[in-house]
Every structure is written in C-alpha cells, then in structure tokens.
Amino acid sequence: MKKQVLSLLLAGALTLGLFGCSAQTPEESGVPQSAPAQTEGTDSAGVVEELKIGICKEVTPRTLASESGSFGRMNYNAFCAGTWLVRDENNEMQPNLMTSWEILDKGSTIRATFATDQGITWHDGEPFTIDDVIFTVDLMNNKLKSGYLSKITGVEKVDDTTVDFQVADGAAYFTLGNSAVFVRMYPKHIWEGIEDPSGYTGEDAVIGCGPYKLVQVDEEAQTMHYEAVGETYMGRALTVPSPLTVRSVTVRSYDSQDALVMALRTGEVDAMYDYSNPISPTMLPSISGVDGVDPGKGMNMGLFEILFGFQKQPTDDLEFRRAVRYALNYELLATTIGGEDGQVPGEGIISPAGIGYDDSLPKLVKDQEQAKAILEAAGYIDTDGDGWREQPDGTPMDVLVTPQYNATKAALYQRIAEIIVTNLGEVGVKCTLDEESIRNSDHEQQLRDDGAYEIYICYATQGVSFYKTPFLYMFNDDLSMWGTCDLEDFDQAYNDMLNAQGDEDYVAKVKELQRIASEEVIGIALCWDTAYYPYRTDKYEGWTNFPGWGVINCETWYNLHPIG
C-alpha cells in the first residue's frame, strides 16, 4: 500500500507537533485562568481516539481554495479550515472565529470581532491575525470570485481584533448568513504570493487554523487522517478553551453509497457525511433495524425543482407554466424522489425546514383537466389533428426537458424527467427528454449557462437553501448561476431579501418570494423529502443530528464521547 505523508510545515519538517493550532497557556494568551467546566466524556477516559467517517468524495483536490473532494467538503464543518461562523441544528448563525458582530448604518456596516487574541495559530505555527481576516476578504472577492462576500466593498481595521466591513445595498444581515459555514480563513503569509489561487495545490494549500490538521494521505486506500491541534481549541468564542473530545479523524472515500452503507453496517466507519447527498430512500431497508445503526433522519431543506426558461417559448408564458403545474403527478414524484417519506410540496417551493416557510400557501395538486382548459384558453390547440398542441401562433411545439447532470444520480434525474414528459404528453404537450444532458456535463452546463433551457430539472442544495433560498437558481442576476426569471416584481423581491435588516425582516421577504412563486409559477418544487445520514450508536454518544446535514457537523468535535 502506497502512502503519501504530507508535510504541512513550510520549513519541510516531516511531522507536525500535536499542538500546532492550540491555545497558548493562560499566562501567554491573557485568558483568565479558570478551568473549563468538565462535562461527561471530556476527561482522558472519555475521548474518541479515532472517529471514522465515510464519504463519497475523492481525496483530491486538497486545498482551502476548493470546496470539492472530501477535504473541501469536510471544511464546511469548521474542521481543518477555520470558518467565520457556524450554524446550529436550528440553522441559526453561531460564533466561531468571528466571535461577535453588530450591524450598523442600516445594514451598510458590519462591525465584527475575531478570535485573534486567543492564541490561535495556523497549522504551520504562524499566528492567526486580523490581517489574515482582511486578506481573506480580498482573496475571496478579487481572485477566487467566490460570491459569498461579494457584497463587502471595503474593510477597515479598528484594532487587532475588530474590523468594519462596508457592505453594499444594506446587505449586512444576508452577508453574515451567507458566510456561515462557507467562508473559511486563508493564511496571508502563504496565499498572498499565489498568482492563481484557484489552481494552487501546493503542500501548504491545506494549512488552516481550524481544530484539526491534515497529517496523512493514502491515495491508494482513499483515506485522509487528521489530528486535533490539542486537547482544547479556542475558536469557539469562549473565554476558556473548549475541550476537543475527538482526538483524531480518518475520512475514507467510497466509490458508491452502496459501499459506504455496507461499511457502516459492518462498523468499518462510524458515520457518513456527504454534503447535500443523503443516502437514497431506496437504501433504507439496508439500514433499517440494523443493531447499532441510526438512519439519521431529518427534514431536508434542499429540494429538487423545475426552473422555467424565461428566454424561451412557451415557458416564458405564465398560462403555459400554470398548465404545467396542474399537469404533474406529485404523488408519483414525491415517492420517486423521497420514498415513503416524500411529501407533495407547496406552491411556495421552500421546504418546511427552510427559514421563512409559509404554510398558508396551497399544496400542489394534479388536475389534468384544468391543465387542458388553461392550454385551450391560452391558444395552445392541436390545429393539425396529430395529437399534439401547437403554439398560439400555429407553429409546432416540442418542449425540451433538461435534467441537471449528476453522475451518481443520473438514473433518478432521468426518471424524474420521464415522469414530466409523460404527464405533459397526457395533456397534449409534446416534450423531448434531453438525454445528452444526462451523459454530457459540458452540454448540460452550456445550456444552463446560456439560459437556453425550457424546463430544467435541478437540485437546490442544503447550503444554498439556507439564506439564498432555492429561488437563487431562478433569479436572473450575476449572483445566480442559472436564473432566467426577469419578472420585475420577483427581481425586486429577491433584492429586498438580500437587503433584509434582521430575522423578522428576512422572513417577511422570503414569504413575499413564496407568494410570487405561487402566483407567477416561476418554478415548481417536485418533492419535500427527508434526508438520511446514518451513523452508529453502539460506540459513541453525544451525536447531534442537524436536519438535512447529518451528525458530522461543527458540534461533533466537542461533544462526541464513548458510551459509558
């Protein structure tokens, strides 16, 4: 077995010291010398020596600048990379390296304090400073073009722990919510000299300031091994060190969810983590009733949805979109996507797990007679008697149904598309399944990027659904990757949401977006489903299941401990 041991020190040392990112002593850091409260499982006999996690992502690339691969995905959990903020199981923002914040000037300024006085170091021993915070904003906005901090137009240093962020359009609240989990710190002393940071994969590209450091990679076995930076970590906005009950983590990549679930059943791994890729409901029988395995059930905030192409006919016509909404078999779609726990969605699209969900909007219903009546009244009539409706101007109509490319879920996307094609055919609308998009990611991406789709089937991920909402994919703006909806009231409502001034204001704006979605049929949710991220319960306790995310999250490192 070939092993590749990564040197994480710029000086080229072969190994890292165990306390590369731990807090300094109380005398060195100025922290009061009171000891942290002892909790069950945090003494020397109550630690997890090695937590084993399974994931369906390869071990490459390994760089802070990438969110793909197992290294990038694990960093969503305040793991090797230090994140600004984290979320709790209720999807509410919580401090992390950003220890406190205040929104000023009607949302045009964020005064933020960071844990730069808590003795935190980068994994090569260099101190984490406020200059790293300022540098991170510049790097993400001007070189990585990540979008998470795009509303920040300037940064002013207040002191060694505090900065003022200038925020465009009063979008301070949204910027904070959008940054939680996804904005990670970059060490200025490493990245400031990198001309192409998005493509940089040097050995020091993995150096973060989170509670764990990468110490070993085995590409043949597709494993990566991490060690805690010490017994405590100061990056949780605490006045005393926070005990790390998990001392080391091994992340193993599997080729398929079938293989991962089998590894979980046999105890080869303790839990699974795969951002926005819970196991398929069809696999539930393989874990249901298995001793020592919890299915990790939680309501999913992410969802499958239809986007309508507003740059194409007939999908730019509200009446046609209304007819499509009545034509679909939502019971079948819900079962196909979510199994026995799949729910028929509502007209407002957003899942009940989403922030600002409006339960007053009606659920979707199949009524093909109503769909036919709408089409007839709007002029979509079969004028030549071939069984297919023509456009109102008499030209032939053949609607392209394009599934998003996804190698692991190609069969599911194809089945969803087939149901849509069949249902629309039942009301006289001829459709063609875009099979090229199922097998060719370049074709699908080009069609999507050009806004040339008519009916596009995609997935709104858990992360996007937090604050950007599933409407991001419909919004026709630089912020969106795919949107073509150019309705003025929708555009205004989405921008209003971005400029929300707090929790209540944000919820009100999200509800307005749902109202517009209901009235204008800018898209259609296809299922509200349950996410399953199974984990073992026979060795450890202290798991917290974040709905739609699973038990591998920012709380795991501080709360998990052996049973008994």
Side-chain angles (χ1 to χ4, degrees):
M1 183 179 296
K2 177 183 176 183
K3 286 192 174 181
Q4 177 186 5
V5 179
L6 291 182
S7 170
L8 299 185
L9 290 177
L10 290 176
L14 294 177
T15 59
L16 287 171
L18 178 61
F19 299 93
C21 187
S22 64
Q24 297 171 352
T25 64
E27 292 81 2
E28 293 170 325
S29 64
V31 175
Q33 297 185 37
S34 57
Q38 198 72 33
T39 58
E40 182 183 359
T42 61
D43 58 22
S44 60
V47 299
V48 177
E49 294 296 342
E50 182 186 13
L51 178 64
K52 298 178 180 179
I53 300 172
I55 191 172
C56 290
K57 293 287 184 293
E58 295 184 349
V59 300
T60 55
R62 295 185 293 273
T63 168
L64 293 182
S66 175
E67 296 180 8
S68 62
S70 61
F71 181 82
R73 290 301 197 226
M74 283 297 296
N75 280 329
Y76 285 164
N77 300 297
F79 187 60
C80 185
T83 61
W84 277 23
L85 300 168
V86 293
R87 301 183 192 277
D88 61 19
E89 62 269 31
N90 299 313
N91 292 321
E92 295 179 357
M93 292 180 287
Q94 299 296 336
N96 196 45
L97 291 181
M98 184 189 293
T99 59
S100 64
W101 59 89
E102 184 179 4
I103 295 177
L104 306 171
D105 305 326
K106 297 182 178 180
S108 296
T109 303
I110 301 170
R111 175 157 292 182
T113 300
F114 288 83
T116 51
D117 59 347
Q118 295 184 6
I120 296 174
T121 66
W122 297 97
H123 295 158
D124 61 0
E126 290 293 318
F128 166 57
T129 71
I130 203 69
D131 288 338
D132 293 312
V133 176
I134 297 170
F135 172 78
T136 292
V137 176
D138 179 67
L139 181 72
M140 294 186 70
N141 279 344
N142 298 320
K143 287 192 174 181
L144 294 176
K145 308 291 185 182
S146 71
Y148 294 123
L149 303 178
S150 60
K151 292 289 186 178
I152 293 181
T153 59
V155 186
E156 180 181 348
K157 178 179 176 180
V158 177
D159 55 41
D160 288 341
T161 63
T162 308
V163 293
D164 282 346
F165 296 118
Q166 285 77 52
V167 187
D169 305 319
Y173 175 83
F174 174 81
T175 296
L176 288 167
N178 193 34
S179 70
V181 176
F182 300 111
V183 172
R184 59 198 60 171
M185 295 296 184
Y186 288 84
K188 180 180 179 181
H189 65 280
I190 292 175
W191 290 86
E192 67 178 338
I194 307 300
E195 291 297 324
D196 179 20
S198 62
Y200 181 63
T201 57
E203 287 187 352
D204 53 3
V206 300
I207 292 177
C209 62
Y212 294 86
K213 58 188 177 183
L214 178 62
V215 297
Q216 193 175 70
V217 177
D218 186 335
E219 293 197 1
E220 183 178 332
Q222 285 287 293
T223 61
M224 293 198 289
H225 187 68
Y226 301 81
E227 290 182 359
V229 298
E231 294 184 2
T232 59
Y233 181 69
M234 290 293 293
R236 303 192 77 207
L238 303 175
T239 57
V240 292
S242 184
L244 286 166
T245 62
V246 178
R247 295 299 169 81
S248 72
V249 177
T250 296
V251 180
R252 179 170 179 177
S253 300
Y254 291 86
D255 292 335
S256 67
Q257 287 191 340
D258 287 329
L260 194 161
V261 169
M262 182 57 68
L264 191 76
R265 283 173 56 97
T266 62
E268 185 177 293
V269 297
D270 303 309
M272 75 160 285
Y273 167 72
D274 201 355
Y275 167 73
S276 275
N277 284 289
I279 66 167
S280 168
T282 61
M283 300 179 67
L284 278 180
S286 65
I287 58 173
S288 297
V290 176
D291 288 342
V293 176
D294 189 300
K297 179 179 179 180
M299 188 67 190
N300 200 358
M301 187 182 290
L303 50 83
F304 285 90
E305 62 183 357
I306 280 177
L307 310 188
F308 288 110
F310 280 73
Q311 298 177 15
K312 305 284 284 187
Q313 293 179 328
T315 49
D316 63 342
D317 179 6
L318 171 59
E319 294 307 300
F320 181 83
R321 299 194 302 272
R322 289 182 62 231
V324 171
R325 188 164 68 183
Y326 277 116
L328 303 185
N329 186 338
Y330 298 104
E331 295 285 352
L332 179 57
L333 285 164
T335 301
T336 300
I337 295 169
E340 63 181 20
D341 291 322
Q343 299 180 32
V344 171
E347 292 184 2
I349 298 177
I350 286 179
S351 158
I355 301 171
Y357 163 66
D358 188 347
D359 62 1
S360 70
L361 295 174
K363 290 289 188 72
L364 297 171
V365 295
K366 176 187 175 184
D367 186 343
Q368 293 193 337
E369 292 307 311
Q370 178 74 348
K372 292 175 185 178
I374 292 171
L375 290 167
E376 290 284 333
Y380 295 93
I381 301 170
D382 177 13
T383 56
D384 58 10
D386 66 351
W388 300 114
R389 299 177 185 274
E390 275 72 50
Q391 300 264 22
D393 63 2
T395 58
M397 180 169 61
D398 189 348
V399 179
L400 189 66
V401 178
T402 302
Q404 183 176 356
Y405 176 83
N406 186 305
T408 60
K409 294 185 177 180
L412 176 57
Y413 273 100
Q414 180 161 347
R415 178 59 183 143
I416 293 170
E418 289 170 349
I419 292 171
I420 292 171
V421 169
T422 298
N423 290 162
L424 291 177
E426 291 166 349
V427 299
V429 175
K430 183 180 182 181
C431 295
T432 296
L433 173 55
D434 186 1
E435 295 185 358
E436 181 66 15
S437 286
I438 295 174
R439 58 178 176 264
N440 185 341
S441 62
D442 291 339
H443 169 80
E444 181 264 340
Q445 183 171 348
Q446 191 64 52
L447 190 71
R448 180 186 71 197
D449 292 348
D450 290 346
Y453 55 82
E454 293 170 71
I455 291 178
Y456 181 66
I457 306 163
C458 72
Y459 186 78
T461 66
Q462 182 84 355
V464 164
S465 299
F466 276 136
Y467 276 83
K468 293 178 181 176
T469 77
F471 298 118
L472 171 74
Y473 298 105
M474 306 166 193
F475 183 48
N476 186 17
D477 187 87
D478 291 341
L479 182 68
S480 172
M481 297 172 283
W482 311 331
T484 61
C485 181
D486 54 4
L487 299 178
E488 185 176 345
D489 58 345
F490 174 70
D491 179 85
Q492 183 62 54
Y494 197 88
N495 276 297
D496 287 345
M497 183 200 73
L498 297 181
N499 302 337
Q501 296 299 298
D503 293 342
E504 291 185 6
D505 191 29
Y506 174 82
V507 167
K509 300 300 171 49
V510 172
K511 287 188 174 183
E512 174 64 9
L513 282 168
Q514 292 170 85
R515 183 194 64 78
I516 294 170
S518 175
E519 293 182 359
E520 299 289 347
V521 198
I522 59 174
I524 302 174
L526 299 176
C527 176
W528 288 337
D529 65 316
T530 298
Y532 297 93
Y533 290 100
Y535 60 98
R536 296 200 66 90
T537 57
D538 52 351
K539 291 169 59 179
Y540 307 124
E541 58 187 357
W543 300 107
T544 301
N545 184 18
F546 284 20
W549 193 278
V551 296
I552 302 304
N553 53 61
C554 57
E555 292 299 309
T556 301
W557 326 126
Y558 307 93
N559 294 291
L560 197 67
H561 53 271
I563 294 175

